[in-house]
Amino acid sequence: FMYTRVWIPDPEDVWRAAEIIKDYKEGEPILHLKLEDESPLEYRIGPKDNPLPFLRNPDILVGENDLTALSYLHEPAVLHNLKVRFLEPNHIYTYCGIVLVAINPYDQLQIYGEEVINAYSGQNMGDMDPHIFAVAEEAYKQMARDERNQSIIVSGESGAGKTVSAKYAMRFFATVGGSANDTNVEEKVLASSPIMEAIGNAKTTRNDNSSRFGKYIQIGFDRRYHIIGANMRTYLLEKSRVVFQAEDERNYHIFYQLCASASFPEFKDLALTSAEDFIFTSQGENIFIEGVNDAEDFKKTKEAFTLLGVKESNQSSIFRIIASILHLGNVEICSERDGDSCHISRNDPHLTHFCRLLGVELEQMEHWLCHRKLVTTSETYVKNMSRKQAANARDALAKHIYAHMFDWIVEHVNKSLHTSSKQHSFIGVLDIYGFETFEINSFEQFCINYANEKLQQQFNQHVFKLEQEEYMKEQIPWTLIDFYDNQPCIDLIEAKLGILDLLDEECKVPKGTDQNWCQKLYDRLSSSVHFQKPRMSNISFIIIHFADKVEYQCDGFLEKNRDTVYEEHINILKASKFQLVADLFQDTNKDGSSSTSSSSKSSRINVRSAKPTPKVPNKEHRKTVGHQFRSSLQLLMETLNATTPHYVRCIKPNDEKEAFSFDSRRAVQQLRACGVLETIRISAAGYPSRWTYPDFFNRYRVLMKKSDMTVGDKKLVCRNLLETLVKDPDKFQFGKTKIFFRAGQVAYLEKLRADKFRSACIKIQKTVRRWLQMVRYKKIRKSAITLQRFGRGYMARRYAERLRLTRAAVICQKQYRMVRERTAYLRVRQAVVTIQAFTRGMFTRRIFQEFLLHHKAMIIQKHVRGWLTRRKFKVARNAAITIQCAYRRMRAKRELKQLKIEARSAQHLKKLNTGMENKIVQLQRKMDDQTKDLKTQNEQLVVAKASLGSEVNKLQKELETMRSRQGDGSQLTSMKDELEKLRAELQEAHAHRKKLEEEHGNEKMRFEQRVEELERENSLLKSEKEKMNQRILHHSKNQESSASQSVGRVQAELDEERQRYQNLLREFSRLEQRYDNLQEFQPGHRRNNSNQSSLESDSNYPSISTSEVGDTDDAIQLVEEMGVEKAAMDIGVFMKLQKRVRELEQERKRLQVNLEKMEDQSKRKVEQENADLAYNSLKRQELESENKKLKNDLNELRKAIADRASKNSSSNELQDGYNLLLGQLKAANEELDVRKEEVLILRSQIVTAAQQKEKDTTNHIETNNLPEWTNSKKPIDKEEALRSYHGLCESKKLLEAQLQSQARKHEDELEAFHTQIELLRDDIEKKQEMLNHTMSLSPEAQVEYSIQQEITRLTNDNLDLKELVEKLEKNERKLKKQLRIYMKKVQELEAASQSTTAKPEMTRQVTVQRREKDFEGMLEYYKEDEALLVKTLITDMKPHAVSATVPCLPAYILFMCIRHADYINDDQKVHSLLTSTINAIKKVLKKNNDDFEMTSFWLANTSRLLHCLKQYSGDEAFMTQNTAKQNEHCLKNFDLAEYRQVLSDLSIQIYQQLVKVAEHVMQPMIVSAMLESESIPSLAGVKPMGYRNRSSSMDKDEEGPGSYTLEALIRQLGQFHGVMGEHGLDPEIAGQVIRQLFYSINAVTLNNLLLRKDVCSWSTGMQLRYNISQMEEWLRGKNLHQSGAVINMEPVIQAAQLLQVKKKTSQDAEAICSLCTALTMQQIVKILNLYTPLNEFEERVTVSFIRNIQNRLQERNDVPMLLVDTKHTFPVLFPYTPSALSLETLHIPANLSLHFLTRV
């Protein structure tokens, strides 16, 4: 017995843990113990002192979910287990066999949300952690499985949480079993709670919301187990609380709620004030409850009244009655002097208000409150009452009024919850008071404890019955178990001549008193074992209940049992002028007619008759309160016995209402009172521990030998092992599926298992320690050798160092001596040299002084001579500079004047754009050309000069010859004169040439200067442009950086909006489904309207028409047609008109600016207009001639078409002719444009040539004045030179004109740029203001504001695009109209041509040969075959029928039919086919709403049809990947964008249905596959299980359908993926489906992990991580690892890692915080609290470690969420995936029976 742990009694903690430190032998009187604080204790043992202490359970069993799983079942073990669970992991629920123990936490816990309800729904009770929802689910499941009514019995003392537990149970039923129709019965059931709490709950010293009555609520269900109604029965309302409250208590809540709302206008006539002013509400001296707002609660009460259908008039009457009770309590009764009579003041305002509110006579009520009638056989007397008697009568009247009002409200609540449908079964929730014992116990406590005795008896019998059934089921010999039977105590109370009978008998005695009744109890019942008489009192008695002894005070028993009220008061109330008040008391004497119809019989009263009547008195009239309570209790027990009960025992942990504080003494007292310990005792009396054979084998196979493991039968192996280990055969029994053990045997087996593990660990440790020591020795030996080696080396190095130091010392001495001698020598030598230096310097300075004097004199002479020379030079230079300045000033003035003129003409050249560079290049090229021309002219001039020189030489020679021949002097003089003239002309020519050269040089210099200026201006403009570009880039980068930050938010908001939209679609489909169900539910024949087809009646989509609203004019016309009021309701028209108004305003501003510009430009254009008149006239003439030619061509083409039409009459040939006409018209238009351009170019060249010719003629006239030479080449060269010069001038003027026009254009563009910059600046300022405004808002407001701005922008863009589309549609309609006109004209021409006999020959006749048309990918059908088409392709289509064909074949066929309807321009056909298709798909999906294959098939086809409508819509955005042939197949006439949206919504709905079906299939597989199956064999350990694991509500075999493996789950996922791929579903959509399914797997797995203590272990974490890795491998194998599915599994991955990491030190806490980023703080703490070691070698997570984790995670600000939302769905995206399949290549199989379709 040494080191055995035990429990010993303790006066403070009830039980205290200790450990035996010395072996104990039987018979020893003292047991040596050691307490937990290491203090020793000698514990006396003996028959008179104490029995042997209780043994403690192993630590591995502490904190179990089920108390019956403990190896040792006794009171200290139960108390310790509850305390550990409550204080450490804060678990308030614990199973104790069939009982759920609920401890009030006095705190708000996040364990009652809808996600928790979903997690417990459909689960076995033993699979999840204890919870009130688990009990409710068990009751609901057993009702559905066994078709037997159920009851949930919630009991406990005041403040233990009974009402809250019952409320949560009803919430579970309302959520799981919601009504099938829209009656919202479940909401009404929940709405009854605030009403009953208001009128039946009050604050007590133990509870702020204590129920002062018992109630049994029956929730009715139909055959499909949906809630259809409810009924409520109440028991024993505490009426005395209406007139009296103890200290720190309150009256019923409704009084304080009404007083808190007295200031409301509708309650002014109630004359209420604060609750402190009324006696009935102020006796407790505290009218407030902390944290409770009575006014807000009153609003909820009124809302509940309204929801339950209580009229406003009845509500006001109820509030009048409540107010009248308050006023009645304040009626002051004054005593007379004699003391035997009293009176009420006539001016008492409260009595006046009381009578006014109830509508009764004031005088009568005033009189009968102070008097009473006494009736004898002969006469009637009116007797005065004393003040005390009158006050008692007043209080009795108040209680009576409130009790009848309570019954009336309960009755009306039941009427509201009643249903006309047949109830198939029900679940009852009993919320009744627990066992009560106070210092003063009266009649109420007696009735309460009597009811608990009956419930305890029923509980014991039920537990005994379950034990017997379990033994019989397992075929174990049944041995009678002795359990406590409280039938003698019940007989003491309710048997004949029992306490109640004696009480009723004493009430019948006219002068019966409480003392007489008490004396009768002493005389008649003293022989009973359960009855005792107190020693010190004669007016009380003691009853020994099952829970405790209770002493009852007899005072008031008779009065409370009679419940007397005077008949005079009742008669006054019956005569009330208010109908409700009169009705409350009219049926007072008729209540006995239906004893079961009323909800409560405890409040019935015995009205004393004022006068005897000859009628037979009513039996019910004589019933006392005790008799009525016994009857109603008997009825309740019959109801409970007819149902399967479920027990919830609520425990109050402390009396101070502190959160998570546990008082062991109070807890033990309640555990004894509520029967939990009795359940344990019954279980411990038999075989409390029960193991299935596989669990026992897995747990204890370590105790087996290797030879035992070879046997295949696990049952036989378990038998052999137990027979070997446990020698006593009575300690265990073998059942069919389980092994039953006596108490303590599991602990013995656990000890053997632990010893086995310990011996194995010791052997492992021994081997490891030997290896460690050997490694340590080798390391030490190696270290010693290393140290020796280093030591010897160190000694050797020290000796060598000493030798080196000795040698160094000798060398240092030698060097020192040498330095000392040398220093002395150098000092002497330095002194000698210094003396010599100073002497030589003195002599040298003397010589230098003499030389310096001579040198200074020469310098002075040099400077004087230089100064004289420079002065003379400066005078001459200044004179020259003055002359130069004057001349240069004159030249500068001339140049300045010229530059000013040039500056005026070129002042705007600075703003030329980059196009001036080309002009500059042209100018440079022209200057180069001119330079070349000038060089040629110079060469010509040189040649002319040479020729002239040769001529002069010739003339001189001739002159000499003539002189020699003729001596005539006259000729010589004439020749000389002529020579002089020629020389003068030559000089003039030279001067003219120089002048031309100078002018050309000046002109060239000016051009070069202008080019340089333009280049500078261009460079400046480029630099400014670069600066502006850099500024704009910088600004855009800033905007992009600010915008990129908001992109993430906008993207997230977009995802949220998309998810919200898809949730709305889901809700719409659900409502549509409900609407269809309601339509199907309506009986009778429904007939459609005669003018409406069935398909159209099912359609909610708009039709496609070519006459839709085009632009704003059409919108205005639509407003005029619809009317202003209707159009105002059409938001589309309204937004369009509003946008048109904004555009008109902008257009007006723009036109105003353009007008101003036009005024400025009109002046400039006047000059150009004159110059362009001739050009325009020529252009107009050319166009007129071309127009005539084209008209002639058009007439010829028409005649040609008419000729072809007369020959060919078929529609196809006419269409070909029409296409030919269009082609030729197009070619003619192109040819016309080309000719126009050519004519314009030729005309402009002719005009310029004419102008040039005129200029040449003028130049020619001028040059004719020059003298002609004998040589013919001379005048021609000169004329050419002059002509080239004038041409150069003209080209210069032309270039200047072009430059000016370019400058004007540049100015206009610059102004446009400035205006654009201004607009951009305004836009930037607005955006900056918006940004500043946005930054000043809160984050939530920023998100909302950005969403609003984005919505506004998108709305404007949408309107712009819509308007553009409408304009294009309008143009298209106009073109179609013109086309129809042309077609009519063509037809007229055909008719005219047929009537004529002769046909003229056409010069441009076009002949087209007929050929067979190819298949264009269209299918034609008749309108009558549409229903057959839909039926064949959709309604009757099976996926396997088209499995061997092209995927999504039905979608392609439907689109080809739509193409043909579009081709023939039949909008009705398009509308009808699309509407029928959509409705048929919906019907098919509704019919097969649980078929994954069918749903996947139609999701693929619907999305493919949507992609086809996009691909062939003609929109360029969808045509980028099309082939040329596919582009030819685009739709021609209709825009089906609206139907694309409808199909997109339908695809989203089908996707959601697909995910729902897949999740429904996988739901039962997830937990078993992920958490329970052993994919790694022999890893998971099994712990001892309790009753809940033993007896599940779902009986299934080990290998039954309820057990799934991971391979089955992966196989199911693969099947889903294969089906989607086979049907041709887009891989992106299939990836999103898998991602959603993985999220569901993650949510279900994590939620079960958070709600199951048995799976929170290290081995489960290893198993879970392996399972997740297998699923990741499957994703990689299917190429789905990029779909985001793995990210969804991150919380489960981190949870598995959390189960595996160390959880001890602060470093471990930091690692956990950095690891578990995907888990919330609540989830991490929950997993750590649930972590359970599977053996004694593991350690639990300490409370301090968990607190450390909580402190570290406080900074996260996580959402307070424990469970993951299993209903969350990601928004689905349907990416556009065009098909590469060409429609004309599609083959339709014959088995589809589509013979009525024609290929076109």
Side-chain angles (χ1 to χ4, degrees), residues 901-916:
I901 295 171
E902 292 178 357
R904 290 193 191 97
S905 62
Q907 61 183 351
H908 297 294
L909 294 178
K910 295 180 181 180
K911 299 179 182 178
L912 290 177
N913 55 6
T914 55
M916 286 297 290

Side-chain angles (χ1 to χ4, degrees), residues 926-940 1284 1288:
K926 290 183 179 181
M927 287 174 59
D928 295 336
D929 296 338
Q930 290 177 3
T931 305
K932 292 180 181 179
D933 295 339
L934 184 60
K935 287 181 179 180
T936 55
Q937 291 177 4
N938 289 332
E939 292 176 355
Q940 292 175 0
S1284 63
L1288 182 61

Side-chain angles (χ1 to χ4, degrees), residues 417 498 684 856 1200 1240 1280 1288 1308 1359 1378 1383 1473 1494 1503 1537 1599 1630 1723 1751:
L417 299 178
K856 288 180 180 179
L1240 291 176
E1280 288 178 355
L1288 182 61
D1308 297 337
L1359 289 173
Q1378 293 177 1
M1383 291 292 292
L1473 180 57
M1494 186 66 74
S1503 61
E1599 301 298 332
Q1723 293 170 345
N1751 295 332

